[in-house]
mmCIF file of all heavy atoms in Angstrom:
data_model
loop_
_atom_site.group_PDB
_atom_site.id
_atom_site.type_symbol
_atom_site.label_atom_id
_atom_site.label_comp_id
_atom_site.label_asym_id
_atom_site.label_seq_id
_atom_site.Cartn_x
_atom_site.Cartn_y
_atom_site.Cartn_z
ATOM 1 N N PRO A 1 0.826 -1.225 0.000
ATOM 2 C CA PRO A 1 0.000 0.000 0.000
ATOM 3 C C PRO A 1 0.851 1.262 0.000
ATOM 4 O O PRO A 1 1.855 1.349 0.705
ATOM 5 C CB PRO A 1 -0.796 -0.118 1.314
ATOM 6 C CG PRO A 1 -0.721 -1.562 1.696
ATOM 7 C CD PRO A 1 0.581 -2.066 1.174
ATOM 8 N N LYS A 2 0.455 2.256 -0.795
ATOM 9 C CA LYS A 2 1.125 3.555 -0.824
ATOM 10 C C LYS A 2 0.412 4.517 0.114
ATOM 11 O O LYS A 2 -0.627 4.180 0.690
ATOM 12 C CB LYS A 2 1.107 4.100 -2.262
ATOM 13 C CG LYS A 2 1.901 3.266 -3.243
ATOM 14 C CD LYS A 2 1.782 3.787 -4.657
ATOM 15 C CE LYS A 2 2.667 4.972 -4.902
ATOM 16 N NZ LYS A 2 2.708 5.348 -6.340
ATOM 17 N N GLU A 3 0.957 5.709 0.276
ATOM 18 C CA GLU A 3 0.344 6.712 1.154
ATOM 19 C C GLU A 3 -1.048 7.093 0.661
ATOM 20 O O GLU A 3 -1.965 7.290 1.446
ATOM 21 C CB GLU A 3 1.226 7.960 1.222
ATOM 22 C CG GLU A 3 2.437 7.791 2.135
ATOM 23 C CD GLU A 3 3.224 9.074 2.272
ATOM 24 O OE1 GLU A 3 2.844 10.087 1.650
ATOM 25 O OE2 GLU A 3 4.225 9.073 3.009
ATOM 26 N N GLU A 4 -1.183 7.209 -0.677
ATOM 27 C CA GLU A 4 -2.491 7.542 -1.240
ATOM 28 C C GLU A 4 -3.428 6.343 -1.085
ATOM 29 O O GLU A 4 -3.069 5.220 -1.450
ATOM 30 C CB GLU A 4 -2.369 7.893 -2.729
ATOM 31 C CG GLU A 4 -1.463 9.069 -3.005
ATOM 32 C CD GLU A 4 -0.051 8.662 -3.362
ATOM 33 O OE1 GLU A 4 0.425 7.642 -2.817
ATOM 34 O OE2 GLU A 4 0.582 9.350 -4.171
ATOM 35 N N LYS A 5 -4.605 6.588 -0.543
ATOM 36 C CA LYS A 5 -5.560 5.501 -0.310
ATOM 37 C C LYS A 5 -5.930 4.812 -1.608
ATOM 38 O O LYS A 5 -6.200 5.456 -2.617
ATOM 39 C CB LYS A 5 -6.823 6.042 0.368
ATOM 40 C CG LYS A 5 -6.647 6.277 1.859
ATOM 41 C CD LYS A 5 -7.958 6.585 2.536
ATOM 42 C CE LYS A 5 -7.783 6.742 4.043
ATOM 43 N NZ LYS A 5 -9.052 7.051 4.719
ATOM 44 N N GLY A 6 -5.951 3.488 -1.569
ATOM 45 C CA GLY A 6 -6.364 2.716 -2.736
ATOM 46 C C GLY A 6 -5.278 2.500 -3.763
ATOM 47 O O GLY A 6 -5.510 1.835 -4.773
ATOM 48 N N LYS A 7 -4.073 3.049 -3.525
ATOM 49 C CA LYS A 7 -2.976 2.878 -4.477
ATOM 50 C C LYS A 7 -1.920 1.942 -3.890
ATOM 51 O O LYS A 7 -1.697 1.918 -2.681
ATOM 52 C CB LYS A 7 -2.354 4.223 -4.840
ATOM 53 C CG LYS A 7 -3.276 5.116 -5.665
ATOM 54 C CD LYS A 7 -2.543 6.323 -6.200
ATOM 55 C CE LYS A 7 -3.453 7.173 -7.085
ATOM 56 N NZ LYS A 7 -2.735 8.341 -7.653
ATOM 57 N N PHE A 8 -1.288 1.168 -4.792
ATOM 58 C CA PHE A 8 -0.315 0.181 -4.347
ATOM 59 C C PHE A 8 0.975 0.287 -5.163
ATOM 60 O O PHE A 8 0.954 0.665 -6.330
ATOM 61 C CB PHE A 8 -0.882 -1.239 -4.488
ATOM 62 C CG PHE A 8 -2.066 -1.497 -3.604
ATOM 63 C CD1 PHE A 8 -3.348 -1.169 -4.025
ATOM 64 C CD2 PHE A 8 -1.906 -2.045 -2.345
ATOM 65 C CE1 PHE A 8 -4.446 -1.402 -3.210
ATOM 66 C CE2 PHE A 8 -2.986 -2.280 -1.525
ATOM 67 C CZ PHE A 8 -4.273 -1.955 -1.956
ATOM 68 N N ARG A 9 2.093 -0.077 -4.525
ATOM 69 C CA ARG A 9 3.384 -0.111 -5.200
ATOM 70 C C ARG A 9 3.741 -1.580 -5.451
ATOM 71 O O ARG A 9 3.804 -2.375 -4.508
ATOM 72 C CB ARG A 9 4.452 0.550 -4.341
ATOM 73 C CG ARG A 9 5.864 0.453 -4.925
ATOM 74 C CD ARG A 9 6.894 1.129 -4.046
ATOM 75 N NE ARG A 9 6.774 2.579 -4.109
ATOM 76 C CZ ARG A 9 6.320 3.328 -3.142
ATOM 77 N NH1 ARG A 9 5.904 2.771 -2.021
ATOM 78 N NH2 ARG A 9 6.242 4.630 -3.269
ATOM 79 N N PRO A 10 3.973 -1.968 -6.718
ATOM 80 C CA PRO A 10 4.348 -3.355 -6.990
ATOM 81 C C PRO A 10 5.770 -3.641 -6.524
ATOM 82 O O PRO A 10 6.683 -2.860 -6.773
ATOM 83 C CB PRO A 10 4.224 -3.463 -8.517
ATOM 84 C CG PRO A 10 4.376 -2.075 -9.020
ATOM 85 C CD PRO A 10 3.863 -1.165 -7.946
ATOM 86 N N LEU A 11 5.933 -4.750 -5.834
ATOM 87 C CA LEU A 11 7.249 -5.164 -5.342
ATOM 88 C C LEU A 11 7.541 -6.539 -5.928
ATOM 89 O O LEU A 11 6.662 -7.409 -5.946
ATOM 90 C CB LEU A 11 7.228 -5.221 -3.816
ATOM 91 C CG LEU A 11 8.562 -5.261 -3.080
ATOM 92 C CD1 LEU A 11 9.297 -3.949 -3.254
ATOM 93 C CD2 LEU A 11 8.334 -5.525 -1.599
ATOM 94 N N GLY A 12 8.750 -6.729 -6.421
ATOM 95 C CA GLY A 12 9.133 -8.022 -6.982
ATOM 96 C C GLY A 12 10.084 -8.751 -6.048
ATOM 97 O O GLY A 12 11.114 -8.203 -5.673
ATOM 98 N N ILE A 13 9.738 -9.966 -5.644
ATOM 99 C CA ILE A 13 10.582 -10.725 -4.719
ATOM 100 C C ILE A 13 11.247 -11.885 -5.470
ATOM 101 O O ILE A 13 10.596 -12.882 -5.787
ATOM 102 C CB ILE A 13 9.763 -11.276 -3.534
ATOM 103 C CG1 ILE A 13 9.039 -10.129 -2.817
ATOM 104 C CG2 ILE A 13 10.658 -12.033 -2.562
ATOM 105 C CD1 ILE A 13 8.119 -10.585 -1.711
ATOM 106 N N PRO A 14 12.553 -11.754 -5.758
ATOM 107 C CA PRO A 14 13.258 -12.885 -6.374
ATOM 108 C C PRO A 14 13.445 -14.006 -5.343
ATOM 109 O O PRO A 14 13.307 -13.777 -4.133
ATOM 110 C CB PRO A 14 14.614 -12.289 -6.778
ATOM 111 C CG PRO A 14 14.481 -10.801 -6.609
ATOM 112 C CD PRO A 14 13.427 -10.595 -5.571
ATOM 113 N N THR A 15 13.784 -15.193 -5.807
ATOM 114 C CA THR A 15 14.111 -16.278 -4.884
ATOM 115 C C THR A 15 15.383 -15.909 -4.124
ATOM 116 O O THR A 15 16.154 -15.039 -4.553
ATOM 117 C CB THR A 15 14.344 -17.599 -5.632
ATOM 118 O OG1 THR A 15 15.480 -17.431 -6.504
ATOM 119 C CG2 THR A 15 13.127 -17.993 -6.460
ATOM 120 N N VAL A 16 15.637 -16.580 -3.003
ATOM 121 C CA VAL A 16 16.841 -16.292 -2.210
ATOM 122 C C VAL A 16 18.096 -16.548 -3.052
ATOM 123 O O VAL A 16 19.067 -15.784 -2.998
ATOM 124 C CB VAL A 16 16.866 -17.147 -0.926
ATOM 125 C CG1 VAL A 16 18.117 -16.836 -0.104
ATOM 126 C CG2 VAL A 16 15.628 -16.907 -0.081
ATOM 127 N N THR A 17 18.068 -17.621 -3.847
ATOM 128 C CA THR A 17 19.218 -17.945 -4.707
ATOM 129 C C THR A 17 19.493 -16.810 -5.684
ATOM 130 O O THR A 17 20.638 -16.365 -5.842
ATOM 131 C CB THR A 17 18.955 -19.244 -5.490
ATOM 132 O OG1 THR A 17 18.714 -20.310 -4.569
ATOM 133 C CG2 THR A 17 20.141 -19.594 -6.382
ATOM 134 N N ASP A 18 18.439 -16.320 -6.336
ATOM 135 C CA ASP A 18 18.616 -15.224 -7.302
ATOM 136 C C ASP A 18 19.034 -13.936 -6.605
ATOM 137 O O ASP A 18 19.794 -13.144 -7.170
ATOM 138 C CB ASP A 18 17.330 -15.010 -8.101
ATOM 139 C CG ASP A 18 17.048 -16.163 -9.064
ATOM 140 O OD1 ASP A 18 18.009 -16.875 -9.407
ATOM 141 O OD2 ASP A 18 15.882 -16.348 -9.457
ATOM 142 N N ARG A 19 18.544 -13.718 -5.370
ATOM 143 C CA ARG A 19 18.966 -12.528 -4.613
ATOM 144 C C ARG A 19 20.473 -12.587 -4.333
ATOM 145 O O ARG A 19 21.167 -11.569 -4.385
ATOM 146 C CB ARG A 19 18.183 -12.411 -3.288
ATOM 147 C CG ARG A 19 16.713 -12.117 -3.467
ATOM 148 C CD ARG A 19 16.129 -11.361 -2.293
ATOM 149 N NE ARG A 19 16.063 -12.066 -1.048
ATOM 150 C CZ ARG A 19 15.039 -12.842 -0.653
ATOM 151 N NH1 ARG A 19 13.992 -13.020 -1.440
ATOM 152 N NH2 ARG A 19 15.047 -13.419 0.517
ATOM 153 N N TRP A 20 20.964 -13.799 -4.040
ATOM 154 C CA TRP A 20 22.396 -13.964 -3.764
ATOM 155 C C TRP A 20 23.223 -13.681 -5.018
ATOM 156 O O TRP A 20 24.231 -12.959 -4.958
ATOM 157 C CB TRP A 20 22.657 -15.372 -3.243
ATOM 158 C CG TRP A 20 24.124 -15.669 -3.054
ATOM 159 C CD1 TRP A 20 24.936 -15.190 -2.072
ATOM 160 C CD2 TRP A 20 24.942 -16.490 -3.888
ATOM 161 N NE1 TRP A 20 26.218 -15.665 -2.231
ATOM 162 C CE2 TRP A 20 26.247 -16.470 -3.340
ATOM 163 C CE3 TRP A 20 24.712 -17.252 -5.030
ATOM 164 C CZ2 TRP A 20 27.309 -17.176 -3.908
ATOM 165 C CZ3 TRP A 20 25.756 -17.955 -5.596
ATOM 166 C CH2 TRP A 20 27.038 -17.909 -5.044
ATOM 167 N N VAL A 21 22.795 -14.215 -6.155
ATOM 168 C CA VAL A 21 23.519 -13.973 -7.412
ATOM 169 C C VAL A 21 23.499 -12.475 -7.728
ATOM 170 O O VAL A 21 24.526 -11.891 -8.091
ATOM 171 C CB VAL A 21 22.913 -14.789 -8.575
ATOM 172 C CG1 VAL A 21 23.645 -14.476 -9.879
ATOM 173 C CG2 VAL A 21 22.977 -16.290 -8.292
ATOM 174 N N GLN A 22 22.330 -11.855 -7.576
ATOM 175 C CA GLN A 22 22.222 -10.412 -7.817
ATOM 176 C C GLN A 22 23.151 -9.624 -6.901
ATOM 177 O O GLN A 22 23.788 -8.652 -7.319
ATOM 178 C CB GLN A 22 20.777 -9.946 -7.607
ATOM 179 C CG GLN A 22 19.814 -10.342 -8.700
ATOM 180 C CD GLN A 22 18.461 -9.683 -8.522
ATOM 181 O OE1 GLN A 22 18.355 -8.613 -7.921
ATOM 182 N NE2 GLN A 22 17.419 -10.307 -9.051
ATOM 183 N N GLN A 23 23.209 -10.042 -5.628
ATOM 184 C CA GLN A 23 24.057 -9.333 -4.662
ATOM 185 C C GLN A 23 25.527 -9.442 -5.040
ATOM 186 O O GLN A 23 26.282 -8.471 -4.912
ATOM 187 C CB GLN A 23 23.827 -9.898 -3.252
ATOM 188 C CG GLN A 23 24.569 -9.170 -2.143
ATOM 189 C CD GLN A 23 24.129 -7.723 -1.988
ATOM 190 O OE1 GLN A 23 22.957 -7.409 -2.113
ATOM 191 N NE2 GLN A 23 25.078 -6.842 -1.731
ATOM 192 N N CYS A 24 25.943 -10.614 -5.518
ATOM 193 C CA CYS A 24 27.330 -10.794 -5.988
ATOM 194 C C CYS A 24 27.646 -9.788 -7.092
ATOM 195 O O CYS A 24 28.708 -9.147 -7.090
ATOM 196 C CB CYS A 24 27.541 -12.217 -6.517
ATOM 197 S SG CYS A 24 27.585 -13.495 -5.253
ATOM 198 N N VAL A 25 26.725 -9.644 -8.052
ATOM 199 C CA VAL A 25 26.921 -8.718 -9.172
ATOM 200 C C VAL A 25 26.878 -7.268 -8.674
ATOM 201 O O VAL A 25 27.723 -6.449 -9.046
ATOM 202 C CB VAL A 25 25.851 -8.939 -10.266
ATOM 203 C CG1 VAL A 25 26.035 -7.942 -11.408
ATOM 204 C CG2 VAL A 25 25.906 -10.371 -10.802
ATOM 205 N N ALA A 26 25.894 -6.964 -7.822
ATOM 206 C CA ALA A 26 25.701 -5.587 -7.344
ATOM 207 C C ALA A 26 26.939 -5.063 -6.623
ATOM 208 O O ALA A 26 27.318 -3.895 -6.768
ATOM 209 C CB ALA A 26 24.485 -5.520 -6.427
#
C-alpha cells in the first residue's frame, strides 16, 4: 500500500538464490 488511499506499489521478490547472485553482481 502507498500513502495515497487505494494505491499500491508493486514489489518483486526474487528467490533467495537469485537474490544472492544479484548481490554478488551488485
Side-chain angles (χ1 to χ4, degrees):
K2 295 176 79 171
E3 282 185 359
E4 300 96 326
K5 281 190 177 180
K7 291 190 177 182
F8 296 86
R9 175 180 288 109
L11 196 67
I13 304 175
T15 63
V16 180
T17 301
D18 290 338
R19 293 208 293 272
W20 175 73
V21 178
Q22 286 188 26
Q23 185 63 38
C24 288
V25 178

